[in-house]
Amino acid sequence: MSEGAYKPFRWFILATLIVVVAVQAIALITPAPLIGEIIKTTGLSAGEVTWMTMGTWNLFVAFAAILGGPLVDKFGFKWMYIFGMVMIGLGWILMPAIGGTFTGMTIARAVQAIGGGPIMGAGVYVSATCFPKKERAMVNGVLGAAMGLGIMIGLNLGPASMAAAGDWAVGLRNLWPLALVGIVMTVVCMVGPKVAPEGAGLENVDEAAAASNLALYKRAILLPLTWIATACVVIASWFNQAYNDMTPGYLALDPPVGLGLGAAGAGSIASLAQIGNIVGCLVVGIIVERVFKGKARPALMIAFGAMAVGAALILVPGVKTSQVILTTVMLVTVFFLGWINASALGWIAKNYPAEITGKLGGMAQGIGIFGGLAGVAAGSAALHATGFYVVSTMIMVGVALVGVVVAFFMQTHKHQKLESTAPESLASSDR
């Protein structure tokens, strides 16, 4: 396949990916800053509101990502983007009607999560079918950056929309045009030119090709490298969810439990940390290709090691007593966190047959979300048992160190090649 044969329209496709993924992230996070208001109007407990808004999303999006992967491979990313945007928009529209009850909000959030799942798996497919090999790590880095950008926007957009509407449910309902933007851009992708050479555009394959793809997928999941790459995503998700969910409380709560920075101080530092994550996602593709010559293993090992050190440092007196140093440490920590998914998923996009990347990407992302749930559960249990954040933080450190060991085995061997009906197959890129 000629690398030079890819057409410039692929950059509009990348812009569409950014918008769709960001809208999904906005849908994920917008209820989080509104939990206090939802508690006031519904009379439900904090635990109930947290579960029906955030827990429901994480549960359903995990299954939807795994089950949506084969649909991405069969129908292509464009139809999955439209499906996802329709479901997310519908969930927002339902908020004033049913969002005020536990069952109603659970349904609305499940609808949105079911739409969000296939979007997660589609990113690997887009990079594999619309971009040359040398750009695929970059595309998956942009995917991570779009997720971070959406979270940053959502944390501010939720309260702003509620204030403008005078009601949290109406404020969430008024976000539906964001999904419409994603739909319109995806339709433009549908009518736009094909960007890849013959063999890379693998949408709407016939039955014989579908059977061949299923056989390839079955062989792929028997390769150790498939599960090593997936394990990297799982560990990163564990660390990410634990870090993002636990650290704000550690920053905000009064001593001796926390650092006593209050909600405003914690929010300011957390926002800056997200900027570090976005930058990390954007630059890792360049680093992998130019510094590590396309090899994911060194990038993954360095990133996991830096995450372990960064998590431990927030407990050190000289760090936690200085907001400037603390902010810098957190920003650098999530900068390296942004490397993981981009490197692991980019490696899948580069080295596996393009016709199964949707399944593999959806599987990795979906299983990864369960890792995130485990991270939150472990950290919360440790906090509940001890009353302090020390054990919770050391769990994160330990998980990151496990990631270093797992990443060490991220290398391709000749006997692990996977032949494809497409011109590209698993190659010895990380030997």
Side-chain angles (χ1 to χ4, degrees), residues 29 45 174 179 221 264-265 299 338 343:
I29 205 65
S45 69
N174 291 345
I221 61 176
S343 298

Side-chain angles (χ1 to χ4, degrees), residues 24-47:
Q24 180 214 210
I26 291 170
L28 155 67
I29 205 65
T30 41
L34 306 180
I35 286 176
E37 294 297 322
I38 297 173
I39 291 171
K40 293 178 184 177
T41 58
T42 61
L44 298 171
S45 69

Side-chain angles (χ1 to χ4, degrees), residues 94 153 173 234 238 248 272 290 304 309:
L94 289 173
I153 294 173
R173 189 274 312 278
V234 172
W238 180 308
L272 287 173
R290 296 186 180 180
F304 277 126
V309 173

Side-chain angles (χ1 to χ4, degrees), residues 182-397:
I183 292 172
V184 171
M185 293 185 70
T186 304
V187 170
V188 174
C189 291
M190 284 182 162
V191 300
K194 291 184 177 180
V195 300
E198 289 298 322
L202 299 166
E203 299 178 13
N204 302 313
V205 296
D206 58 27
E207 291 186 8
S212 175
N213 294 347
L214 179 59
L216 279 171
Y217 176 67
K218 290 179 178 178
R219 292 170 60 194
I221 61 176
L222 295 177
L223 293 176
L225 280 165
T226 300
W227 295 105
I228 293 171
T230 300
C232 289
V233 175
V234 172
I235 294 168
S237 181
W238 180 308
F239 187 96
N240 181 49
Q241 292 299 322
Y243 199 79
N244 287 333
D245 284 8
M246 305 299 294
T247 306
Y250 172 67
L251 299 176
L253 294 176
D254 291 333
V257 177
L259 302 185
L261 301 180
S268 175
I269 293 177
S271 295
L272 287 173
Q274 284 299 322
I275 293 173
N277 186 35
I278 293 170
V279 174
C281 290
L282 291 175
V283 303
V284 66
I286 299 173
I287 293 172
V288 168
E289 293 301 326
R290 296 186 180 180
V291 178
F292 300 125
K293 309 303 180 184
K295 298 177 180 179
R297 179 169 69 160
L300 290 167
M301 292 183 68
I302 290 170
F304 277 126
M307 288 157 53
V309 173
L313 283 175
I314 66 174
L315 299 175
V316 175
V319 173
K320 66 182 183 180
T321 53
S322 170
Q323 289 194 35
V324 174
I325 298 176
L326 180 62
T327 302
T328 302
V329 166
M330 291 184 61
L331 190 148
V332 172
T333 301
V334 297
F335 169 81
F336 284 103
L337 174 61
W339 287 25
I340 306 299
N341 280 9
S343 298
L345 297 177
W347 186 89
I348 290 174
K350 287 172 61 179
N351 293 291
Y352 284 79
E355 55 265 52
I356 62 171
T357 51
K359 295 184 184 70
L360 294 173
M363 179 185 74
Q365 295 269 46
I367 295 174
I369 295 170
F370 287 113
L373 288 173
V376 175
S380 299
L383 177 62
H384 178 75
T386 66
F388 296 96
Y389 283 90
V390 176
V391 176
S392 300
T393 302
M394 295 314 296
I395 291 174
M396 288 189 279
V397 173

